[in-house]
Amino acid sequence: MPHYTPPVKDQQFLLHELFKVSESDVPGYKELDADFTSAILEEAGKIAANVLQPLNSVGDEEGCTLENGVVRTPTGFKEAWTEMAAGGWMGLDAKAEYGGQDMPYIMGTATGELFSSANMAFQMYVGLSHGAASALAVHGSDEQKTTYLPKIYSGEWGGTMNLTEPQCGTDLGLIRTKAEPQGDGSYLVSGQKIWISGGENDLVENIVHLVLARTPDAPEGIKGISLFVVPKFLPNEDGSLGDRNSLSCGGLEEKMGIHGNATCVMNYDGAKGWLVGDMHKGMRAMFTMMNEARLSVALQGYTQGEVAYQNALAFAKDRVQGRDVTGVKNPDGPADPIIVHPDVRRNLMDQKSIVEAGRALVFWGAEMIDRSNRLNDEEAEDMVSLLIPVMKGFLTDKGFETTVLAQQTLGGSGFTREWGLEQFVRDARIAMIYEGTNGIQSLDLVGRKLPQNGGKTIMAFFDLVKDFIKENEGNETLGDGFLEPLKAASKDLQAAGMYFMQEGMKNPNNALSGSYDFMHLFGHVCLGLMWARMAKAAQEALDGGTSDKDFYETKITTGRYYMARQLPMTGTHLARIQSGGDTVMALDAANF
Amino acid sequence: MPHYTPPVKDQQFLLHELFKVSESDVPGYKELDADFTSAILEEAGKIAANVLQPLNSVGDEEGCTLENGVVRTPTGFKEAWTEMAAGGWMGLDAKAEYGGQDMPYIMGTATGELFSSANMAFQMYVGLSHGAASALAVHGSDEQKTTYLPKIYSGEWGGTMNLTEPQCGTDLGLIRTKAEPQGDGSYLVSGQKIWISGGENDLVENIVHLVLARTPDAPEGIKGISLFVVPKFLPNEDGSLGDRNSLSCGGLEEKMGIHGNATCVMNYDGAKGWLVGDMHKGMRAMFTMMNEARLSVALQGYTQGEVAYQNALAFAKDRVQGRDVTGVKNPDGPADPIIVHPDVRRNLMDQKSIVEAGRALVFWGAEMIDRSNRLNDEEAEDMVSLLIPVMKGFLTDKGFETTVLAQQTLGGSGFTREWGLEQFVRDARIAMIYEGTNGIQSLDLVGRKLPQNGGKTIMAFFDLVKDFIKENEGNETLGDGFLEPLKAASKDLQAAGMYFMQEGMKNPNNALSGSYDFMHLFGHVCLGLMWARMAKAAQEALDGGTSDKDFYETKITTGRYYMARQLPMTGTHLARIQSGGDTVMALDAANF
């Protein structure tokens, strides 16, 4: 059975030594002193480790079942949900007026990490409900907010997002679901939606579906899509449950992983609903929350990497096999623990260096979202919008890769269900696909985000890297090990951007063929920057005479590994990009 | 439901235009004219596509069951086994005197590809039986050969390899299973073996277990291991089944994939067995067949990639979503097929270019094994021994990666069980682990194979690349697109080898920390060489006025893609290697 230890110390390091939240000008950050955040994270960690983690393999083995329209979640999920709800975790970062705790988004992210590492399938019910509530909080009418938000934040009701239909996933302009106005402000929604996470479940007494649909007079394509709120039970004015709405779960998908989460086919048969936000602006309404939604998937990437790494590490310290070539380390045993072997260490260091920098990048994203939401900081909003596809695409690819590396650490045991590593691999895999496949992330990055504001935001990113390097020139710790590789990687990224500008103009396929490599190149530069900043913070703690030398020295050593062993990938990505679109596009479809 | 089309045309291209088998001096190759091999491959292809492939998802869903000591394989496996046996496929490349068909190993490899793509879990029963027979064929006494080989090649009996025990996988010196001599030439074998593929099953009437064990007087460690043949039923002199031996299946592993193959815990409780080969030379006996065993796992890597690619390609041609940015391609439909999008093509081209070159590399390996076995060609034997860890480690990593890429082509559908892509991912994963984990392959490569014959073999490999480049200078097709990148990649490989010689001498960790990257660097150079050779062969066909221009031009185009987009990875691998062992080894185990 796998285990999970909440990495609260690493989280605290980021909050207080890297991002120094309690010194920040973001409203609500002042209150986040180290004792306070530690108390919250420890509490969330207890639920994660003691309640959610033991249910992770249960959820995987039992899965969800559909019987007579009722979806039963795995044993223990309902009790865990009730406990999470009672603790106020569902509305941690929601407004107090709707029953939330009004904490910054970064705290929702930090606690979300713990829940997600412990049980990704379970946390998806929480996350999707939260996402639906967020969309209502921004675009809903006052009445809609009052009706739905307190119920969702209290955990009494859940929420879902309904976008995909059989004929359309990425290309939502092809949506066919119809919404017919009834003249009383309500609509009757009809159509089939697929891959609806938690579309039906027994955790909550009511489910608030947000559904993209088309009114009869709507223009074709993406500009004719509107958003509707379609509750499973129509709420009475006093908040009690009224009539059952005409919608039902028509089936559950059998999947590679996240078996504990019900992936539903949802049939709407003239279900009563109400418009959310403006008519025909459904895409905008849905995608206002996109940065948060995608950041929470980026988080899933490294969280599965984190828990997989913890288990791989424990195995590597425990399993004895072979001897250290430089001298026996465990003379009293029949062999040495496999962590002595360089290739096992390479594997573990890859895992560790990706997960820790991935966490830093996601926390940075959360901090920028807080700046944007709480300070109306447009630069922060632009920057996080630029980086979101990188975070989602790169960190979910790397997160999956990390789980595969961790599985490999265990050798044959990694392939057995008993040890649990293979579940992390299967669960992590979905994060590369949903919330916009990683290919789509790379298109969003290169096609939309890179040129945004006439390239001002990407230039701001380069300045940020350049300024960091300049400010820290002469810093002994950072010197050759961090600043030089970061400079080289950032130069590769600039060269790639330059190539796109010059050659993409001649033929867009030159840019689009390199979009995926660009996303990864950018991701490496981001993690390189995170490691350089973490090394600096760690050195400051060491200079300040910390009593915990090992912790901070380990940060610097791990960062050095990343810079030396991971960052060189930028050269390969650049070479691929600069090879252009010709070899990619040369074949006729018939000749593949 | 996934589909599978045997790629016989690609196989024929390799046999007759790349390796020109019927012009070869290897005994048995003369008979392999194009019509003959085509007939065999078409026939094998029919079994693969019509019999084995439909059982692939059945095997995955049903798995194997153990009841009262009896292992039941999935529905249809027994009938498929009988059909394969009746067709003579079990002994295709075995000696005629023991009931085989005496064909070269390369034909066993080519047909094995088809069976493995169609149903990897099923083909493992065939492959492991074949492997056990091969070990007996080399090391067994005449009596053992006469007793066991005809029964295995006819498919009446099966065979297994028993190495692993709970406390030892890689480190076989820790084996505890005992073999006590009975004075009559027989031994009583006692101990527990784990992860025994097909250790018990209902496909065959008897199972011939090859078991590594230790006699009472054996020296400690690896030098005290002997190999024993321990049949499930003791054969009578007339070949009929005698007493049931004291061995049993104690349990089945639950695994991530290959559910159709029974992975058994085998308990030997004083089971009667006989020494195979020399006392205390069990490791040598087991590992004589290592090149073949590991090549057959290398093959599994690209075979899962092949079938996954075929299904991804069909989806990409069929699924319409979004529009080609350079102009609408499917004006009558609601959207264009996704194969128009550059990032989808990048993904497909990665898959295609890896699978086709992977096949070429494995066929080359098989040809060298034939040269070694049938001509006693020592250079071929040395070369294939050098390359085997590269083939196994690199091609199974890349094969798995290919299945993940193919799964990604399908977006959300790739994550559902219905489409079958996720099974290829789960099945392919094991090939990176068994038959020596890929980390162990990299150690074998750098620690043993690289220095073999004082470095003569690796120098011979470099010469081979150099000679090819020199011979083809001025060839217009090969020029910039193939020879230059191959030269650069080969230079990276030489630089890495040089680094190991210089720095590995100072500290072995400098070499061992880079072993995995070296294996991948080497793999890329091998696939680059294969593509250059295939492009040359294709150009020759085009120059000869072939009527099938599309096929040969596609080969060249796909090769160009590999050289431009995959081969640049050698630079990153070299950079990692040259960063040395310091960052890898710096952390104390306690500080991870």
Side-chain angles (χ1 to χ4, degrees):
Chain A
M1 275 282 290
H3 62 89
Y4 173 61
T5 307
V8 172
K9 193 168 174 183
D10 286 281
Q11 295 191 317
Q12 287 279 87
F13 168 70
L14 294 182
L15 291 174
H16 301 289
E17 297 178 82
L18 196 69
F19 299 111
K20 302 188 174 166
V21 288
S22 59
E23 298 170 22
S24 163
D25 57 343
V26 178
Y29 271 41
K30 210 171 52 237
E31 291 80 355
L32 302 180
D33 63 52
D35 287 346
F36 180 70
T37 61
S38 165
I40 290 181
L41 295 173
E42 291 291 350
E43 206 51 47
K46 273 183 212 159
I47 293 186
N50 303 334
V51 179
L52 301 186
Q53 198 275 335
L55 296 176
N56 195 42
S57 59
V58 176
D60 187 55
E61 273 156 40
E62 289 187 15
C64 297
T65 52
L66 171 65
E67 241 176 80
N68 303 320
V70 177
V71 171
R72 239 175 277 286
T73 56
T75 307
F77 272 40
K78 172 75 182 155
E79 292 74 13
W81 179 274
T82 306
E83 191 164 342
M84 292 267 296
W89 298 105
M90 311 288 191
L92 191 79
D93 56 0
K95 287 213 173 112
E97 61 179 308
Y98 300 117
Q101 313 243 8
D102 239 345
M103 276 189 214
Y105 181 68
I106 200 168
M107 290 307 294
T109 300
T111 53
E113 171 189 330
L114 306 175
F115 303 143
S116 178
S117 274
N119 194 326
M120 178 168 154
F122 178 90
Q123 175 63 7
M124 285 175 64
Y125 293 109
V126 179
L128 270 295
S129 291
H130 189 279
S134 296
L136 283 172
V138 176
H139 297 282
S141 64
D142 286 343
E143 194 194 333
Q144 287 170 344
K145 290 191 227 180
T146 317
T147 305
Y148 297 110
L149 297 188
K151 293 287 191 183
I152 296 180
Y153 294 137
S154 69
E156 291 164 274
W157 297 1
T160 71
M161 304 289 228
N162 291 243
L163 291 79
T164 306
E165 298 180 7
Q167 77 290 352
C168 63
T170 297
D171 190 353
L172 292 171
L174 303 177
I175 277 178
R176 290 187 196 139
T177 296
K178 286 216 172 85
E180 310 232 16
Q182 298 304 296
D184 63 350
S186 75
Y187 292 77
L188 293 187
V189 175
S190 300
Q192 188 176 69
K193 294 288 182 177
I194 61 171
W195 299 341
I196 309 309
S197 300
E200 178 57 46
N201 66 71
D202 60 357
L203 301 176
V204 289
E205 59 184 32
N206 196 13
I207 301 178
V208 183
H209 300 288
L210 294 186
V211 183
L212 288 183
R214 204 180 275 291
T215 50
D217 61 335
E220 275 197 15
I222 209 86
K223 287 175 181 155
I225 311 279
S226 305
L227 182 65
F228 298 88
V229 56
V230 188
K232 177 176 166 185
F233 289 98
L234 301 172
N236 295 319
E237 294 214 352
D238 64 356
S240 63
L241 297 183
D243 290 345
R244 180 68 161 81
N245 211 344
S246 302
L247 59 92
S248 60
C249 172
L252 295 178
E253 301 289 343
E254 302 231 29
K255 312 182 298 288
M256 182 184 192
I258 50 165
H259 293 150
N261 197 277
T263 306
C264 302
V265 175
M266 294 302 297
N267 295 318
Y268 294 89
D269 304 305
K272 199 163 192 164
W274 292 270
L275 184 68
V276 177
D278 296 332
M279 180 72 83
H280 304 159
K281 302 283 186 200
M283 293 302 292
R284 211 196 53 174
M286 199 56 120
F287 286 131
T288 308
M289 308 317 301
M290 196 163 66
N291 282 347
E292 294 185 28
R294 292 186 169 176
L295 190 69
S296 73
V297 178
L299 176 138
Q300 291 179 330
Y302 83 79
T303 58
Q304 294 309 292
E306 163 74 34
V307 66
Y309 165 69
Q310 288 190 15
N311 285 278
L313 176 61
F315 185 92
K317 288 179 175 178
D318 184 60
R319 172 78 170 173
V320 301
Q321 207 78 177
R323 291 293 187 188
D324 188 333
V325 288
T326 62
V328 171
K329 287 289 182 302
N330 178 32
D332 299 334
D336 289 339
I338 61 171
I339 198 169
V340 303
H341 303 306
D343 189 63
V344 172
R345 274 170 174 266
R346 169 202 57 83
N347 188 333
L348 291 170
M349 289 300 288
D350 275 339
Q351 297 170 47
K352 183 174 170 66
S353 66
I354 286 167
V355 166
E356 292 183 17
R359 175 183 294 118
L361 185 58
V362 168
F363 276 37
W364 185 31
E367 192 247 10
M368 288 189 282
I369 286 175
D370 276 329
R371 293 198 80 78
S372 163
N373 290 345
R374 292 173 170 241
L375 272 179
N376 288 316
D377 180 336
E378 280 184 27
E379 281 176 27
E381 158 118 41
D382 288 344
M383 184 63 74
V384 76
S385 297
L386 170 70
L387 295 180
I388 280 292
V390 178
M391 294 174 180
K392 195 278 182 183
F394 180 71
L395 291 184
T396 58
D397 279 0
K398 287 287 158 186
F400 174 70
E401 193 183 304
T402 301
T403 61
V404 173
L405 288 170
Q407 185 184 26
Q408 193 72 13
T409 311
L410 275 76
S413 300
F415 198 68
T416 64
R417 306 202 79 180
E418 183 187 352
W419 286 83
L421 272 289
E422 61 93 36
Q423 185 190 344
F424 303 137
V425 174
R426 289 185 290 104
D427 287 354
R429 183 66 183 89
I430 189 60
M432 296 155 70
I433 295 173
Y434 62 19
E435 199 53 44
T437 65
N438 287 358
I440 292 297
Q441 301 299 324
S442 77
L443 291 191
D444 179 49
L445 175 65
V446 170
R448 294 178 49 216
K449 299 300 176 58
L450 208 54
Q452 85 185 356
N453 304 325
K456 247 175 63 187
T457 313
I458 179 72
M459 292 312 297
F461 178 84
F462 287 130
D463 285 344
L464 201 146
V465 174
K466 220 181 300 173
D467 291 349
F468 180 85
I469 292 171
K470 208 166 167 189
E471 278 163 27
N472 294 289
E473 262 170 14
N475 180 317
E476 263 181 55
T477 302
L478 295 181
D480 290 349
F482 291 91
L483 299 185
E484 286 307 316
L486 181 59
K487 203 185 288 180
S490 175
K491 219 176 115 188
D492 285 345
L493 185 63
Q494 290 184 53
M498 195 64 80
Y499 177 86
F500 286 162
M501 278 205 280
Q502 287 168 352
E503 302 300 320
M505 216 83 93
K506 297 179 196 159
N507 182 345
N509 288 337
N510 281 329
L512 297 177
S513 297
S515 63
Y516 211 91
D517 281 288
F518 188 80
M519 179 173 80
H520 271 245
L521 204 177
F522 208 157
H524 277 294
V525 175
C526 286
L527 294 201
L529 177 64
M530 291 301 108
W531 270 122
R533 292 182 61 181
M534 286 193 281
K536 183 184 177 174
Q539 188 57 53
E540 282 168 4
L542 288 167
D543 293 344
T546 173
S547 61
D548 198 359
K549 272 183 71 172
D550 282 350
F551 177 80
Y552 294 102
E553 284 175 353
T554 296
K555 282 276 174 245
I556 295 171
T557 305
T558 309
R560 269 192 221 287
Y561 178 90
Y562 189 88
M563 305 311 274
R565 290 256 166 182
Q566 286 280 346
L567 212 50
M569 264 309 292
T570 60
T572 293
H573 290 305
L574 177 61
R576 284 183 188 153
I577 289 165
Q578 290 180 335
S579 76
D582 289 352
T583 58
V584 178
M585 305 306 293
L587 279 189
D588 274 351
N591 289 335
F592 266 81
Chain B
M1 274 281 289
H3 61 88
Y4 173 61
T5 307
V8 172
K9 195 169 171 180
D10 285 281
Q11 294 191 319
Q12 287 279 89
F13 168 70
L14 294 181
L15 291 175
H16 301 290
E17 298 179 81
L18 197 70
F19 298 112
K20 302 187 174 167
V21 287
S22 58
E23 299 169 23
S24 163
D25 57 342
V26 178
Y29 270 42
K30 209 172 51 237
E31 290 80 355
L32 302 179
D33 64 53
D35 288 344
F36 180 71
T37 60
S38 166
I40 292 180
L41 295 172
E42 291 292 349
E43 208 52 47
K46 274 182 211 157
I47 294 184
N50 304 333
V51 179
L52 301 186
Q53 198 273 336
L55 296 176
N56 195 43
S57 60
V58 175
D60 187 55
E61 274 155 37
E62 289 187 15
C64 297
T65 52
L66 171 66
E67 242 176 80
N68 303 323
V70 177
V71 171
R72 240 176 276 286
T73 56
T75 306
F77 272 41
K78 170 75 180 155
E79 292 74 12
W81 179 273
T82 306
E83 193 166 340
M84 292 266 296
W89 298 105
M90 312 288 191
L92 192 77
D93 57 0
K95 289 215 171 112
E97 62 179 306
Y98 300 118
Q101 314 242 5
D102 238 346
M103 277 190 217
Y105 182 68
I106 199 169
M107 290 308 294
T109 301
T111 53
E113 171 188 331
L114 306 175
F115 303 142
S116 178
S117 273
N119 195 326
M120 178 169 154
F122 178 89
Q123 174 63 6
M124 285 174 65
Y125 292 108
V126 180
L128 269 296
S129 291
H130 189 279
S134 296
L136 282 172
V138 175
H139 297 283
S141 65
D142 286 342
E143 194 194 334
Q144 288 170 341
K145 289 191 229 181
T146 316
T147 306
Y148 297 110
L149 297 189
K151 293 287 191 184
I152 296 180
Y153 294 137
S154 69
E156 290 164 273
W157 297 0
T160 70
M161 306 287 229
N162 292 244
L163 290 78
T164 307
E165 299 180 6
Q167 78 290 352
C168 64
T170 296
D171 190 352
L172 291 171
L174 303 177
I175 278 178
R176 290 186 197 141
T177 295
K178 287 216 173 87
E180 310 233 17
Q182 298 302 298
D184 62 351
S186 74
Y187 292 77
L188 293 186
V189 176
S190 300
Q192 188 176 67
K193 294 287 180 177
I194 60 171
W195 301 341
I196 308 309
S197 300
E200 178 57 47
N201 65 72
D202 59 359
L203 301 177
V204 288
E205 59 184 32
N206 195 11
I207 301 178
V208 183
H209 300 289
L210 294 187
V211 183
L212 289 183
R214 202 180 277 290
T215 49
D217 61 336
E220 275 198 17
I222 208 82
K223 287 176 183 159
I225 310 280
S226 305
L227 181 65
F228 297 88
V229 56
V230 188
K232 178 175 164 185
F233 288 98
L234 300 173
N236 296 322
E237 294 215 350
D238 63 357
S240 63
L241 298 183
D243 291 345
R244 178 71 161 81
N245 211 343
S246 302
L247 59 92
S248 61
C249 172
L252 296 178
E253 300 290 342
E254 303 231 28
K255 313 181 297 286
M256 181 185 194
I258 50 165
H259 293 147
N261 197 277
T263 307
C264 303
V265 175
M266 294 302 298
N267 295 318
Y268 295 88
D269 304 306
K272 197 161 193 164
W274 293 270
L275 185 67
V276 177
D278 296 333
M279 179 74 80
H280 304 159
K281 302 284 185 198
M283 294 303 293
R284 210 195 52 171
M286 201 55 121
F287 287 131
T288 307
M289 307 318 300
M290 195 163 65
N291 283 346
E292 293 186 25
R294 291 186 169 176
L295 191 69
S296 73
V297 178
L299 177 137
Q300 291 179 331
Y302 83 78
T303 58
Q304 293 309 291
E306 164 74 35
V307 66
Y309 165 69
Q310 288 190 14
N311 285 278
L313 176 59
F315 185 91
K317 288 180 174 177
D318 184 60
R319 172 79 170 173
V320 301
Q321 206 80 175
R323 292 294 188 186
D324 187 334
V325 288
T326 63
V328 170
K329 288 289 183 302
N330 178 33
D332 299 336
D336 289 339
I338 63 171
I339 197 171
V340 305
H341 303 307
D343 189 63
V344 172
R345 275 171 174 268
R346 168 200 60 80
N347 187 334
L348 291 170
M349 290 299 289
D350 275 339
Q351 297 169 47
K352 183 174 171 63
S353 66
I354 286 166
V355 167
E356 293 183 16
R359 175 182 295 118
L361 184 59
V362 167
F363 276 36
W364 184 32
E367 193 246 9
M368 288 190 283
I369 286 176
D370 276 329
R371 292 197 80 78
S372 162
N373 289 346
R374 294 175 169 239
L375 272 178
N376 288 316
D377 180 336
E378 280 185 26
E379 281 176 27
E381 158 118 41
D382 287 346
M383 184 63 74
V384 76
S385 297
L386 170 70
L387 295 180
I388 280 292
V390 178
M391 294 174 180
K392 195 280 182 181
F394 181 70
L395 291 184
T396 59
D397 279 1
K398 287 288 158 184
F400 174 71
E401 193 183 306
T402 301
T403 62
V404 173
L405 289 170
Q407 185 185 28
Q408 192 73 13
T409 311
L410 275 76
S413 300
F415 197 67
T416 64
R417 306 201 80 179
E418 184 187 350
W419 286 83
L421 272 290
E422 62 93 35
Q423 186 190 342
F424 302 136
V425 174
R426 287 185 290 103
D427 287 354
R429 183 66 183 88
I430 188 60
M432 296 156 69
I433 296 173
Y434 62 18
E435 200 49 46
T437 66
N438 288 357
I440 292 300
Q441 302 298 324
S442 78
L443 290 192
D444 179 49
L445 174 65
V446 169
R448 293 179 48 216
K449 301 298 176 61
L450 210 51
Q452 85 185 357
N453 303 326
K456 245 175 62 185
T457 313
I458 179 74
M459 293 312 294
F461 178 83
F462 288 131
D463 284 344
L464 201 147
V465 174
K466 221 181 298 171
D467 292 348
F468 180 85
I469 291 170
K470 210 166 165 188
E471 277 163 27
N472 294 287
E473 261 172 14
N475 180 318
E476 264 181 53
T477 303
L478 296 180
D480 290 351
F482 290 91
L483 299 185
E484 286 306 317
L486 181 59
K487 203 184 290 180
S490 175
K491 218 176 116 188
D492 285 346
L493 186 62
Q494 290 184 55
M498 195 64 79
Y499 178 85
F500 286 163
M501 278 205 280
Q502 288 168 351
E503 302 300 321
M505 216 86 92
K506 295 181 199 156
N507 183 345
N509 287 337
N510 281 330
L512 297 177
S513 297
S515 63
Y516 211 90
D517 281 288
F518 188 79
M519 180 174 78
H520 271 247
L521 204 177
F522 208 157
H524 277 294
V525 174
C526 287
L527 294 201
L529 177 64
M530 290 301 109
W531 271 121
R533 291 184 60 181
M534 286 194 280
K536 182 184 176 173
Q539 188 57 53
E540 282 168 2
L542 288 167
D543 292 344
T546 173
S547 61
D548 197 1
K549 274 182 69 172
D550 282 352
F551 178 79
Y552 295 103
E553 284 175 353
T554 297
K555 282 277 174 247
I556 294 171
T557 306
T558 309
R560 270 191 219 289
Y561 178 90
Y562 189 88
M563 305 310 277
R565 290 255 167 184
Q566 286 282 346
L567 212 49
M569 265 309 292
T570 60
T572 294
H573 289 305
L574 178 60
R576 284 183 188 152
I577 289 165
Q578 290 180 334
S579 77
D582 288 352
T583 59
V584 178
M585 305 306 294
L587 280 187
D588 273 351
N591 289 335
F592 267 80

